[in-house]
Structure formats: structure tokens, C-alpha cells
Amino acid sequence: MTQELSVERIMNTGLLTCAPETPLCEAAARMAERRVSAMLVVTDERAVGIWTERDSLFVDFTDPEAVRRPIEGVMSQPVATIHPATPVGEAALRFSAERRRHLLVVDDAGRPRGILSQTDLALNQGLEPYLRLREVGDAMRQRPLLLPGDRSLNEAARHMGRHGCDAAVVTCQDGELGILTERDLVRFVARHPGNTVIGELASRPLMTVDVEAALIHARDLLIDQRVRHLGVLDGEGEVVGLLGFQDLLAGAEHLYLEDLREALEQRDQALSQSRRHLQLAERVIDASLEGIIITDAETRIEFVNPAFTHLTGYSLEEAVGRTPALLSSGRHDADFYRDMWRTLQESGYWRGEIWNRRKSGQLYLELLTITAIRDDRGEISHYAALFSDITHIRENEEQVRRLAYYDPLTRLPNRRLLEDRLELGIRHARRYGQRLAVIFLDLDHFKQVNDALGHALGDELLLKVSKRLRAQLREDDTLARQGGDEFIVLLNEIEAVEEVTRVAHRLVESVSAPFEVGGQAFRVGCSLGISLYPDDGDRVETLVRRADSAMYRAKQEGRNTYRLFRAEMHREDRGRLELETALRNTAETGAGLGVHYQPLFDRDSGELEGAEALLRWHHPTLGHVSPGDFIPLAERSGLILPLGERLMQLVAAQLRDWRAAGLAPPRVAVNLSARQFWQSDLVAQVRELYAAYALPPGQIGVELTESVLLDKHQEAIATLQALRELGCRIAIDDFGTGYSSLSYLQDLPVTTLKIDRSFIQQLGESRGSSAIVAAVTGLAEELGLRVVAEGVETEAQLQALSRHHVNLIQGYLTGRPVEAATFAERYLARHGAPA
Ligand code: C2E
Ligand code: CA
Ligand code: CA
């Protein structure tokens, strides 16, 4: 615990005092000369009243006599006072609670010792970190008092008084801007210029600062230029606000006060603890908030103070007779302690940070000072160690860091953190050849809502918006607040553009539902712009800028929507979105879905051995859509589940109908994608299908690619086993394109391997293909699997296959996929007349 600064240390002792009968103008003259903001009125060393700059606003400048009257007629009384020993933190709380700008510091006897202004205080509070974090725009007064230069001094003073302004911007005759402040008015009280027009009195030119500058910059300017107000300029150079010392501090102070209140509470607790031990040792050591240890020359503890006990948990009794090793954290090695002792022996003094351990086991960081105390003969007789717990200071630093990277309102990452993450994201994406997306999001019409609601409710709305947005994103995505009503989303590891547009779509939807703020429902929309790495740029700044410009296009083209930075991508995306919508309708109604059947023949006997069911989709306006186009889309959007279920129903119904018509259909295989295979009720679904359509065991089988089975090996085996128990044949589709190893296949209960058609098509052309076919078929033979050659188109290919262990042929050569009716007509024989 660190000792807090007292008011005495920072108060202004150059107190200006005068007698009650002093003429006001004389008092003002002295204030102006000394550049102080208050005059104390005293009799018999007692303060009877105070006159401050603020009071100058209420002087009647039309009456030249007014300023010659005694000060006692216009001073404020009684004077608010504070004791010199008051901790600075408590004073700060009083300023903000009592809305004062000055407190008179008086000693026990009631004698004035100094004056404390809010400015002194705030400048001593280490507000710098906070000032660095905030911008001028956050702290400035929105509507500065603007006065035409032809107003009279008296009118101007009245205006400032009424509006509670300590300064006004004056537009002078020649168009130049000037400024009139309380401090100026004090000068005019001193040297009455008559009730002149203010255009001639204002200080010129008006010092200015940019609205986006950091507050710390404004503070430096105020101090360097020895002024107390700055005009605030926007991007166009227009004056949009006024920034005074007070404003500058008010914003930062709010943050500071929060911290302070916490610190004070902690201190109060500590005080009440140590009070209990007040009589145990000497007062001065006792009252210290720093832990104190006194040891003998052999470092055995002779005495510890209550703060020690509070900080470490060890009582005096427990500590006496032991050595400080009692507190050892084990975090420092022997070298550390050796160096410490050497320094102590040599210079009699050591100071540093050290990790120790409390009795409770908790680690804490202390700032430790050890002094060797020597006796008359110069021998070390004692060591005195003084320490304070600075763990919380470290924590404060952490908090400041948090403030630097997070938006205080929404607690989302701010622009800076976003840029850091984007930078990292780009590096990662470059290394792994991935895409990433930046989405720039701006609320529509937020300004109107904000103006109507006021800032507090506007903030609440922003908070609600940010929560809804966050809810639409994955944990790894970054949602940052860029400032105002702008947000930026960063999506990493993107494979396809529609992953991004799907998120964008969800974000728009989530914001467009009404918000309830202040008991009223509001609608705000948002416009989004998307840029992609590497398509639209490979630098942080470019990506953000392009996302921003795409957002701008979204706004122009109707709002409440999104745009991709690249127009052609946008068109493509629109097409895909249309396709997805159409597919969704189809999945719901089944309209336009059909099944084609492709025969599989035994290579040697030429008999029909099976068929593969292939999904077909015909859309009224889009026409025939190839499975190569819609299956991947269905998988990404999850529509593959309802579509797959429909396909299985169609196939089962077809098989039932064929059987009912007296035909003998072969086994039919359906394709299952990963999502379908891993759905929890797949086995139940197939079982019900068999039951509902009264199909014999094994009538319907499945085809899976290797990649489906790659992970979750054990679970895959269980599901496959269950399907085998229903009699299903299980084929590994597109074999050879994945990464299966022999050992991997061995323990999977599969029945069939389908050699991918790319190998078949290259047979006879490339030696590699033929080697692979030889290896695969050899392996299959060993494992007792049936082998299908897929995509056989020519006699030459068929010929080439004769050298290998291949059981079945599927391909255009022997039969293309065809409609059910054609399939029956061509390939199915009547029960009565089997082939
Ligand atoms: P796949 O499972 O490899 O299906 C075989 C594909 O090869 C079919 O294309 C078929 O028409 C084609 N094919 C058959 N013989 C030959 C040939 O001799 N030469 C050539 N060039 N091609 C031949 P299709 O019908 O376009 O299906 C493409 C892919 O779509 C399928 O590949 C499968 O992965 C997927 N698919 C089709 N229907 C379904 C389904 O109901 N569910 C799932 N999950 N995927 C399906
Ligand atoms: Ca297949
Ligand atoms: Ca295949």
C-alpha cells in the first residue's frame, strides 16, 4: 500500500489576500498580475469570503462605479475549506461531489494556508495515461458560445454567466475568430475599459486544435501557449467546439475517479485493520502503511509493524525470531539474493522489486528498501526493511493497457487492437494460403436516433447493437468498435466467399430487428462493406479502406445491405445467393428433384450387379443444375440433410414400386456426404426406411469418400458396423484421391472400393495411373474387397482393366445415369424371367 499524497503537498501557497474594504478593481488587478484565479478576503487572519474569476461574470460593466466598490459586497461566503492533511484523493471526490473549483486549505487553528484548485489537483493525479487514450472530440464542449464582435462587454458577461461558460468565441469584424474568457474579464474589472464592444477586447487569434487529436496533445498546447482554452476544428477547419482545461480534465477525471474510489475503499479497510494494533509499537511505525521489518545483524526478525501483518498475514509473534526467508516465494534464485546481500554490505542500502509469498500462499510483488543500521563502532547492528505491495500498481498498468486496446463503452477491441490482429491474421493467411475478410459496418441513421435519444441512451443503443453483432460471430472472429457508430469485423480462415456473405447477411438481419431503448422501440439498420485478403489487398490499411468504400457503396445503393469491394465478386455472390434460395425452396418442397440410376455390371459375367442413385435438380428458371454445382453449396449451407433425406425416400419408393410391379431391382447405392454420415440418427433413418418400404436387407447401400472417415475413427467404425447389420453394402468412393493408408482401411467394415475415374481415364496414357490401379486392386484383393472401376468410357480402358483385379464396371461405356423408367426398361428383368 503506498502512502497517499496529501493536499498540503500540492496546494498553491501563493495565497492572495485582501481586506474586505479593498475596491474590487484593486483586487482584480492583483489577481491579473499574479495570474491566479481567486482572491481571499480576510480579517484577523480568518477567511471571511472569496472572489473568483467566475464572479467576474456578474459584474455590471455598464456602471464604471461598480468596480470601485469594496470587495465584501460581491464576494462569496462562507468559504469552503479543507484540512492540509486530507489525502488528495478525498479532495478530488469533494470537488466532483460539491461541483467546486476551489477549496481553501486551513490548518487546525482555522488559518488559511493555501488554496487548492481543481486544476492543481487534476494535474497532480497522474491522469496522463487517460489523457493519451481520449480524443479532443470526446471532451470538448459541443456547442461553444459564439458571440458576434459587436456585442458590448456587459452583454457578453451576462451571456457567459447565464450559459455557465467560462469562455466565448468571438467573431470579429474582419471574420477572424477571437476568444473572451473569465480571466480576461478579471483584467477588465481591474482596468475598466468602459462598456466597449468585445470585438476589440477579445484575444486573437483563437488557438486551435484538431478534433481528432489526443487530449494529451491539447494539454501540452494549453501549457505551452499559456492559454486556457482552445478552439476545436473539424476536418474542414470549422470551429465545432471549445476545449478548456476543465473539460480536458473532466473526461479523464471520470475514469480516474473510478480507480480512486476503489483505492480509497481498500485503504479504509487497511486502516481499520492497523488501528487494532495501534498500541503495540511506536506510533510512527505503526501508522505507516508500508510494511516494516527490523532484524538483528544475523537477520533474525526483532520487530514487524502492523502493516507487515496486514500485507503478509504473519503476526508479530509469528515473525519474531525467524528470518525474512519466511516470505520467500521461491521465484528468485540464489544469485538474486547473493547480489542483494553483496550490495547491502557494500553500500548499506538495497532497493528493488521482489516477489514474496503471503502466509495464505498468495504471491505478491513488493517494492523493498533495506537499510543497514550501524552502531557507534560502524558495525552493522540491525537491518531495517521497508516495503509496499505494488501488485495493484502492476494491475493498474494492466488496466491502462486494457484501456488502450479496448473501447470503454462496449469493451470491444478498438481500432488499434483490430489492426494488430489483422496484421497477424494476414501473416497467418499468407503462410497457409488462406483468405480472410474485413467487414466494415456502419449503422444507418444512427445520428438521428442519437440526437433524438440523447447521448446516454445513444450509448445504450450502441451497446445493444454490439451485443447482437457479437452473438452472430464465432469466438475466433474479432468484432471491434472503430468509433462512433462504426464497427469492424475480422473473419479469419475463410474458404469460400459465401461464408463471408452469409455472416454479413446475418449481421444485417440481427441489427434490423427493433431495439428497445428508454422504453421506446427503435429501428436502425446497418450497411456493410467487405474486403478480402488477398483478393482486395494484402495490407491492413488497404483492406480497411476498401471495406469502408464498399460500405459506402452499400449505403448509396439502398442501405441495410452489404457490398463486396469487388463488383464482379458481388455479382457472383448474388448468383450464388439466388441459387441457395432456390435450393432451399427445393429442399422444403421437393419440387424439381429427381433421381437418375446408373448401372454397375460384373466385368466377367456382364450381369447387372447394382446401381448408383444420383441426385438431379431441375429448376423452373435456372434449368438443369449440375450436382457439381449444387451439391457443394448444399453441403456448405446444411441443405444436404433435407435433400439427402428426400433422395433416400425417392429411391426407397422407387424400389418398392419396382418390386410391386414384379421387377427385380439390384442393390442401389446412395452417396452420403460427411454431414449426412455424421448426423446422429443416420442409422435409425435407414432402418426406418427399410421398414416403411418393406425392403429386403441390403437393398440400399451407401457410398462414402475416404475423407468422411478420416477423423473420429472409432465412432465411424460403430456407425458403419450398425449399417452392416442392416445388410447395407458400404463403398469407399473416389478411392485414391484421399489419404487412406492400408492399415486404416483394414479395420473399417467396408465392402467395396470404387477406384476414382481420374485413374481409369488415364489408363493406357500414363504409367502412374496403371501403377496406382495395380496397387489399389492388389490391396483390395488382399482385404477381400470388391473393386469397382468408375468412369469407364472406352473399350481401351476396359481392355486395360483386364489385367487387374476388378469386379465391377461403371461408366458411360456400359450405361449412363438414366431416369427410373428408362433404367427399368433397359436393365430390369421380370421376376418370372430372370436372366
Ligand atoms: P460420384 O459419387 O463420383 O458420382 C459419379 C459421377 O460420375 C456422377 O456424376 C456420374 O454421372 C459420373 N459418371 C459416371 N460414369 C461416368 C463416365 O464414364 N464418365 C464421366 N465423365 N462421368 C461419369 P454426377 O451425377 O454429376 O454427380 C457428381 C457428384 O455429385 C457425385 O460424384 C457425388 O459426389 C455427388 N452426388 C450426386 N448425387 C448425390 C447425392 O444424392 N448425395 C450426395 N451426397 N452427393 C451426390
Ligand atoms: Ca458415388
Ligand atoms: Ca465416384
Side-chain angles (χ1 to χ4, degrees):
M1 186 77 35
T2 43
Q3 191 87 50
E4 252 217 84
L5 219 56
S6 67
V7 159
E8 191 166 25
R9 300 274 293 278
I10 64 164
M11 69 187 180
N12 211 319
T13 50
L15 210 54
L16 272 190
T17 59
C18 69
E21 57 279 3
T22 313
L24 182 58
C25 56
E26 228 178 274
R30 288 177 55 205
M31 282 168 68
E33 185 196 343
R34 297 273 298 276
R35 288 177 159 261
V36 298
S37 53
M39 170 66 80
L40 199 64
V41 185
V42 294
T43 36
D44 297 328
E45 287 189 54
R46 286 189 177 278
V48 293
I50 191 166
W51 191 82
T52 68
E53 287 177 345
R54 168 121 293 244
D55 298 318
S56 70
L57 299 182
F58 304 96
V59 169
D60 183 0
F61 286 98
T62 57
D63 174 12
E65 279 315 303
V67 301
R68 299 209 182 90
R69 300 210 180 97
I71 196 167
E72 68 185 327
V74 289
M75 68 189 187
S76 318
Q77 55 187 10
V79 186
T81 61
I82 191 166
H83 194 271
T86 315
V88 160
E90 255 169 64
L93 290 177
R94 264 192 73 186
F95 274 119
S96 88
E98 297 171 24
R99 304 183 146 271
R100 287 187 192 286
R101 281 156 60 180
H102 295 92
L103 285 170
L104 181 66
V105 185
V106 296
D107 62 15
D108 287 330
R111 274 186 303 265
R113 296 270 313 279
I115 196 149
L116 185 70
S117 74
Q118 202 179 3
T119 317
D120 303 330
L121 185 87
L123 286 178
N124 272 286
Q125 287 311 301
L127 293 180
E128 297 219 354
Y130 301 121
L131 291 177
R132 273 178 220 291
L133 295 179
R134 297 184 76 106
E135 290 182 1
V136 166
D138 298 332
M140 69 178 190
R141 262 165 276 171
Q142 296 279 357
R143 281 183 206 88
L145 184 58
L146 261 172
L147 295 175
D150 59 5
R151 289 293 176 84
S152 75
L153 177 57
N154 200 55
E155 276 176 271
R158 278 312 87 80
H159 242 86
M160 288 163 68
R162 239 197 335 275
H163 290 89
C165 295
D166 58 351
V169 175
V170 179
T171 44
C172 303
Q173 238 75 54
D174 53 5
E176 202 189 19
L177 295 176
I179 187 164
L180 191 68
T181 68
E182 281 178 8
R183 185 150 281 186
D184 297 326
L185 293 189
V186 172
R187 277 195 291 121
F188 303 144
V189 172
R191 167 185 63 75
H192 192 265
N195 193 15
T196 330
V197 293
I198 54 174
E200 290 171 40
L201 297 172
S203 319
R204 293 159 66 168
L206 176 66
M207 294 289 176
T208 58
V209 65
D210 197 85
V211 69
E212 278 171 3
L215 277 181
I216 190 95
H217 171 69
R219 188 204 64 174
D220 294 346
L221 208 64
L222 285 166
I223 291 174
D224 290 350
Q225 302 291 328
R226 314 192 92 225
V227 296
R228 297 206 297 176
H229 296 87
L230 295 170
V232 180
L233 302 183
D234 66 9
E236 263 79 65
E238 289 293 325
V239 174
V240 289
L242 199 59
L243 183 78
F245 234 117
Q246 300 301 331
D247 311 315
L248 182 128
L249 299 172
E253 218 164 31
H254 175 72
L255 294 173
Y256 163 70
L257 283 176
E258 292 295 297
D259 284 359
L260 186 66
R261 200 162 284 132
E262 251 180 71
L264 280 179
E265 272 165 23
Q266 282 169 15
R267 192 204 55 160
D268 286 346
Q269 279 167 15
L271 268 180
S272 68
Q273 277 256 341
S274 56
R275 234 173 249 137
R276 269 180 249 141
H277 307 287
L278 214 60
Q279 268 99 41
L280 290 177
E282 286 187 65
R283 258 188 98 113
V284 57
I285 291 178
D286 257 10
S288 166
L289 292 172
E290 301 191 299
I292 295 175
I293 309 171
I294 295 176
T295 74
D296 62 16
E298 273 68 56
T299 76
R300 264 189 305 274
I301 297 176
E302 290 187 348
F303 174 79
V304 297
N305 74 341
F308 169 93
T309 303
H310 175 66
L311 292 170
T312 66
Y314 292 103
S315 69
L316 178 68
E317 292 76 16
E318 286 172 307
V320 166
R322 314 210 21 201
T323 71
L326 171 74
L327 302 173
S328 170
S329 63
R331 272 213 181 179
H332 305 283
D333 56 14
D335 286 348
F336 176 86
Y337 292 105
R338 236 194 330 271
D339 285 350
M340 173 172 129
W341 282 111
R342 190 179 318 117
T343 313
L344 253 179
Q345 302 300 330
E346 285 166 7
S347 66
Y349 180 84
W350 185 88
R351 187 178 165 88
E353 290 181 6
I354 179 167
W355 282 99
N356 271 344
R357 194 181 290 283
R358 296 187 226 275
K359 191 178 175 186
S360 66
Q362 191 189 21
L363 287 175
Y364 67 99
L365 183 64
E366 64 178 40
L367 178 63
L368 175 65
T369 309
I370 309 178
T371 313
I373 299 174
R374 294 177 193 269
D375 60 19
D376 302 342
R377 294 182 314 256
E379 301 286 314
I380 291 175
S381 66
H382 290 88
Y383 293 101
L386 210 83
F387 66 92
S388 50
D389 182 348
I390 56 170
T391 322
H392 71 284
I393 295 181
R394 278 297 140 79
E395 282 161 3
N396 279 353
E397 282 167 6
E398 174 60 21
Q399 198 187 354
V400 167
R401 197 195 64 80
R402 224 186 54 223
L403 285 169
Y405 281 110
Y406 290 86
D407 167 48
L409 172 65
T410 59
R411 313 225 161 233
L412 294 175
N414 63 15
R415 167 94 186 227
R416 241 170 95 189
L417 183 51
L418 175 97
E419 285 175 352
D420 280 5
R421 291 201 184 157
L422 183 51
E423 183 89 53
L424 269 177
I426 290 174
R427 247 183 281 154
H428 186 86
R430 182 175 300 134
R431 174 157 342 126
Y432 296 99
Q434 291 165 335
R435 265 186 172 151
L436 63 77
V438 175
I439 307 181
F440 200 107
L441 186 152
D442 184 290
L443 298 183
D444 296 333
H445 309 299
F446 177 73
K447 199 170 146 26
Q448 283 98 306
V449 178
N450 198 35
D451 288 348
L453 286 173
H455 281 293
L457 291 180
D459 280 359
E460 195 182 320
L461 178 62
L462 283 174
L463 203 59
K464 290 195 164 163
V465 169
S466 70
K467 288 201 175 124
R468 282 204 198 160
L469 295 174
R470 186 65 256 183
Q472 301 305 321
L473 300 170
R474 296 172 303 185
E475 211 173 307
D476 295 344
D477 302 335
T478 297
L479 171 65
R481 180 160 175 231
Q482 150 92 347
D485 60 345
E486 294 172 348
F487 296 85
I488 295 182
V489 179
L490 167 62
L491 306 177
N492 286 310
E493 298 183 17
I494 298 298
E495 271 164 20
V497 178
E498 65 259 41
E499 282 174 48
V500 184
T501 56
R502 201 170 295 130
V503 172
H505 192 69
R506 283 209 310 266
L507 292 174
V508 172
E509 295 270 282
S510 75
V511 173
S512 63
F515 286 92
E516 205 186 295
V517 177
Q520 260 178 292
F522 279 92
R523 271 180 192 282
V524 286
C526 61
S527 302
L528 277 60
I530 302 169
S531 66
L532 298 166
Y533 168 89
D535 314 66
D536 299 328
D538 56 5
R539 296 193 21 229
V540 168
E541 187 235 316
T542 321
L543 288 171
V544 171
R545 191 158 33 82
R546 300 208 146 158
D548 185 10
S549 82
M551 182 281 291
Y552 188 68
R553 200 140 37 80
K555 280 227 192 280
Q556 284 179 322
E557 295 173 11
R559 296 174 186 263
N560 217 22
T561 182
Y562 65 82
R563 288 288 179 270
L564 287 152
F565 175 72
R566 288 220 186 170
E568 73 271 24
M569 261 192 203
H570 191 76
R571 273 191 299 278
E572 250 171 61
D573 174 63
R574 278 271 290 278
R576 249 185 312 243
L577 212 68
E578 226 172 280
L579 196 64
E580 188 178 325
T581 313
L583 194 59
R584 180 157 281 129
N585 289 334
T586 301
E588 271 166 25
T589 62
L593 280 187
V595 186
H596 278 192
Y597 296 86
Q598 186 175 26
L600 279 74
F601 293 99
D602 186 290
R603 182 187 64 182
D604 301 328
S605 71
E607 278 182 37
L608 179 70
E609 257 295 321
E612 178 174 359
L614 293 157
L615 199 53
R616 293 293 177 261
W617 181 33
H618 180 86
H619 186 265
T621 54
L622 301 168
H624 276 289
V625 186
S626 147
D629 288 334
F630 76 82
I631 297 284
L633 177 62
E635 290 186 9
R636 278 199 291 272
S637 58
L639 290 172
I640 194 69
L641 294 183
L643 287 172
E645 212 171 317
R646 283 195 179 278
L647 172 99
M648 286 208 265
Q649 302 277 354
L650 288 172
V651 170
Q654 186 62 65
L655 288 167
R656 178 199 55 197
D657 292 350
W658 277 335
R659 286 163 51 80
L663 299 173
R667 292 170 181 251
V668 174
V670 298
N671 293 283
L672 291 184
S673 70
R675 260 200 148 128
Q676 294 173 280
F677 181 74
W678 290 110
Q679 62 184 319
S680 56
D681 59 350
L682 173 70
V683 175
Q685 200 182 312
V686 174
R687 190 180 295 121
E688 271 161 34
L689 206 64
Y690 273 106
Y693 293 91
L695 300 175
Q699 180 78 72
I700 295 183
V702 300
E703 293 188 4
L704 304 159
T705 59
E706 303 157 75
S707 56
V708 172
L709 304 171
L710 264 186
D711 41 59
K712 299 196 277 189
H713 194 69
Q714 290 309 320
E715 283 115 309
I717 291 181
T719 305
L720 293 175
Q721 202 63 58
L723 289 172
R724 288 292 294 132
E725 278 157 24
L726 294 173
C728 298
R729 278 196 178 146
I730 297 164
I732 302 292
D733 207 352
D734 304 346
F735 190 79
T737 57
Y739 304 97
S740 305
S741 68
L742 174 61
S743 65
Y744 178 85
L745 270 181
Q746 238 166 358
D747 37 291
L748 287 178
V750 300
T751 59
T752 313
L753 282 191
K754 298 185 76 172
I755 303 176
D756 190 68
R757 73 165 180 271
S758 57
F759 301 113
I760 307 301
Q761 259 148 22
Q762 288 169 29
L763 266 186
E765 289 168 25
S766 103
R767 272 165 193 271
S769 286
S770 147
I772 288 174
V773 173
V776 168
T777 52
L779 156 70
E781 192 168 17
E782 221 164 280
L783 294 175
L785 298 176
R786 290 152 37 99
V787 177
V788 181
E790 254 194 322
V792 179
E793 293 182 347
T794 64
E795 285 293 346
Q797 287 161 358
L798 191 60
Q799 198 56 45
L801 285 168
S802 65
R803 271 170 292 170
H804 303 288
H805 165 79
V806 169
N807 309 90
L808 303 171
I809 303 294
Q810 175 183 7
Y812 291 173
L813 180 67
T814 50
R816 291 183 177 249
V818 289
E819 282 178 28
T822 316
F823 186 84
E825 200 178 293
R826 287 194 191 155
Y827 309 114
L828 297 187
R830 300 232 149 236
H831 270 312

